């Protein structure tokens, strides 16, 4: 058997409920992960687990369709009918005989299934995949669908721990709030979607490089590229952004080059058209030890970039 899931797969210990009266299934699942990675609680009857499930919801629910008192389909329906628990991943264990007719997976609200007979390796990897898929879906930014803060932090720390050289760019839209206040959230969301596409397409256009793009939230984005692509990518993002963003303004505002809106103190003032500030942190020769260092460095660089009223980037020029 391959090595069990390690702590690096999940950021904290997971809690799983197994609803099954099959002792062999319980023994198999109990052997798949070390206790510090997965805490498994077994219930032999489905209805007896429901109260525990809603009072102390686990991170994962595995339901055996062989339960005598309630079907796996019913258990999944009960869980997914509660909005609070809709994100709880559910895996159903079926028998070959259950697969005689096609299942209507729109009606059976499970996230994956296992069909007996299956190996311990298969069960472990399918469950790990289900948990990772659920975490990615929950973390994804609902507007841009890009990976969110949890995934961003995990990716940065993974690269740091692996000792890889990389450039981490933080992109912040300048004067976005004033645009949002004047034109409304709908047009503001269009700008955010445009910004996400600009960054994704720019990084993809570099060709053949290991990269990552994430959406921290609001008007903050990040991307990761090799260090030798840091400056080129920043220039390309700025060029594309500056060529597109004026078209989101009404003609009068676009021609005059500014808008009138309200500042954070409630005073009306003029604001220039939106720009993008990019702070690029370089991790070379293992100089970073924790993702928090990258964030702290980027804040200082971003402040410097924002001193320029136009779109600009600042590269990390620290020396060891």
């Amino acid at each position: 058997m391959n090595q069990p899931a390690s702590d690096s797969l999940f950021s904290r210990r997971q809690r799983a409920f197994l609803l099954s009266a099959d002792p062999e299934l319980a023994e198999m699942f109990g052997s798949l992960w070390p206790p510090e990675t997965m805490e498994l609680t077994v219930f032999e009857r489905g209805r007896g687990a429901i109260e525990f499930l809603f009072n102390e919801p686990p991170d994962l629910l595995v339901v055996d369709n062989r339960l005598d008192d309630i079907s796996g389909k019913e258990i999944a329906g009960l869980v997914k009918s509660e909005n609070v628990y809709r994100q709880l991943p559910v895996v159903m264990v079926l028998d070959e005989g259950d697969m005689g007719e096609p299942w209507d997976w729109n009606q059976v609200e499970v996230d994956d299934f296992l069909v007996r007979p299956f190996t311990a390796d298969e069960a472990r990897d399918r469950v790990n995949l289900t948990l990772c898929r659920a975490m990615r879906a929950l973390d994804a930014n609902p507007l841009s669908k890009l990976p969110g803060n949890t995934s961003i932090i995990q990716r940065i720390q993974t690269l740091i721990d692996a000792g890889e050289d990389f450039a981490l760019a933080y992109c912040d839209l300048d004067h976005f709030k004033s645009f949002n206040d004047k034109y409304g959230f709908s047009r503001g969301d269009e700008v955010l979607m445009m910004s996400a596409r600009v960054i994704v397409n720019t990084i993809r256009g570099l060709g053949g490089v290991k990269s990552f793009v994430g959406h921290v939230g609001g008007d903050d984005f990040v991307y990761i590229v090799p260090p030798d692509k840091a400056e080129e990518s920043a220039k390309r993002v700025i060029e594309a952004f500056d060529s597109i963003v004026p078209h989101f303004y009404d003609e009068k505002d676009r021609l005059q080059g500014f808008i009138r809106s309200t500042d954070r103190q409630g005073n009306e003032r003029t604001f220039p058209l939106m720009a993008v500030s990019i702070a690029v942190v370089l991790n070379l020769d293992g100089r970073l030890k924790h993702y928090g260092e990258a964030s702290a460095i980027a804040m200082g660089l971003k402040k410097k970039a924002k001193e320029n009223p136009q779109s600009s980037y600042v590269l990390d020029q620290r020396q060891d």
Side-chain angles (χ1 to χ4, degrees):
M1 181 188 299
N2 295 331
Q3 290 297 313
S6 65
D7 289 337
S8 62
L9 186 60
F10 308 114
S11 59
R12 60 175 177 81
R13 183 172 69 164
Q14 303 291 295
R15 295 176 59 248
F17 284 1
L18 170 64
L19 280 54
S20 176
D22 180 352
E24 292 184 5
L25 188 65
E27 182 180 2
M28 174 190 286
F29 271 88
S31 68
L32 296 182
W33 301 273
E36 62 271 17
T37 298
M38 182 79 75
E39 176 189 337
L40 181 69
T41 305
V42 179
F43 298 87
E44 294 186 357
R45 295 181 63 81
R47 296 193 185 280
I50 292 173
E51 183 177 350
F52 289 95
L53 196 152
F54 288 129
N55 286 334
E56 296 184 45
D59 300 294
L60 169 74
L61 179 63
V62 181
V63 184
D64 190 346
N65 206 41
R66 289 182 181 177
L67 287 170
D68 293 330
D69 59 333
I70 186 170
S71 70
K73 174 182 176 180
E74 290 176 277
I75 290 282
L78 283 171
V79 172
K80 299 292 190 175
S81 67
E82 298 284 339
N83 283 334
V84 177
Y85 305 111
R86 284 198 64 81
Q87 300 298 330
L88 172 61
V90 179
V91 177
M92 189 157 60
V93 178
L94 303 171
D95 293 302
E96 284 185 332
D98 295 323
M99 306 304 294
E101 296 292 334
W103 286 69
D104 184 352
W105 297 112
N106 285 321
Q107 298 297 323
V108 185
E109 296 189 87
V110 300
D111 299 277
D112 207 340
F113 64 90
L114 289 160
V115 181
R116 291 185 178 92
F118 51 82
T119 66
D121 284 350
E122 181 184 0
R124 183 201 59 243
D125 287 338
R126 291 287 288 273
V127 168
N128 285 346
L129 177 60
T130 301
L131 283 167
C132 288
R133 187 191 304 127
M135 285 190 288
R136 287 194 294 264
L138 191 61
D139 182 49
N141 185 277
L143 179 65
S144 67
K145 303 299 187 293
L146 290 173
N149 212 34
T150 300
S151 297
I152 293 168
I153 291 171
Q154 187 177 47
R155 178 61 63 94
I156 296 170
Q157 192 61 52
T158 297
L159 291 172
I160 290 174
D161 292 343
E164 292 193 30
D165 291 350
F166 62 88
L168 170 65
Y170 283 78
C171 306
D172 186 9
L173 306 191
D174 302 331
H175 315 302
F176 174 75
K177 182 182 181 303
S178 58
F179 177 92
N180 227 18
D181 290 343
K182 174 164 184 176
Y183 289 108
F185 290 108
S186 178
R187 282 172 72 169
D189 285 349
E190 291 177 10
V191 170
L192 295 178
M193 284 295 297
M194 176 276 293
S195 302
R197 286 193 296 269
V198 161
I199 297 170
V200 168
N201 291 337
T202 299
I203 303 310
R204 183 184 296 132
L206 295 175
V209 301
K210 291 177 63 176
S211 62
F212 173 87
V213 179
H215 190 169
V216 178
D219 60 346
D220 291 309
F221 299 85
V222 302
Y223 66 82
I224 300 173
V225 292
D228 63 348
K229 298 293 184 181
E231 192 160 14
E232 178 188 357
S233 63
K235 289 179 178 179
R236 287 193 185 187
V237 168
I238 288 173
E239 181 181 6
F241 181 89
D242 286 350
S243 68
I244 297 172
V245 77
H247 299 286
F248 285 87
Y249 290 83
D250 291 347
E251 184 178 9
K252 176 185 174 183
D253 293 337
R254 184 168 65 248
L255 291 175
Q256 68 186 9
F258 63 86
I259 62 172
R260 296 189 184 276
S261 187
T262 305
D263 65 16
R264 297 181 187 276
Q265 287 72 44
N267 303 313
E268 186 177 282
R269 50 170 290 204
T270 61
F271 294 87
L273 303 189
M274 282 180 285
V276 59
S277 293
I278 304 177
V280 184
V281 180
L282 299 176
N283 184 48
L284 303 173
D285 302 321
R287 67 169 56 152
L288 295 178
K289 304 302 180 186
H290 189 266
Y291 72 86
E293 295 178 58
S295 180
I297 295 166
M299 293 308 102
L301 296 174
K302 192 164 66 172
K303 183 177 180 181
K304 186 172 181 60
K306 283 180 173 292
E307 293 174 0
N308 188 333
Q310 299 179 330
S311 293
S312 63
Y313 66 92
V314 177
L315 291 176
D316 178 11
Q317 299 292 344
R318 294 172 306 130
Q319 300 295 323
D320 289 333

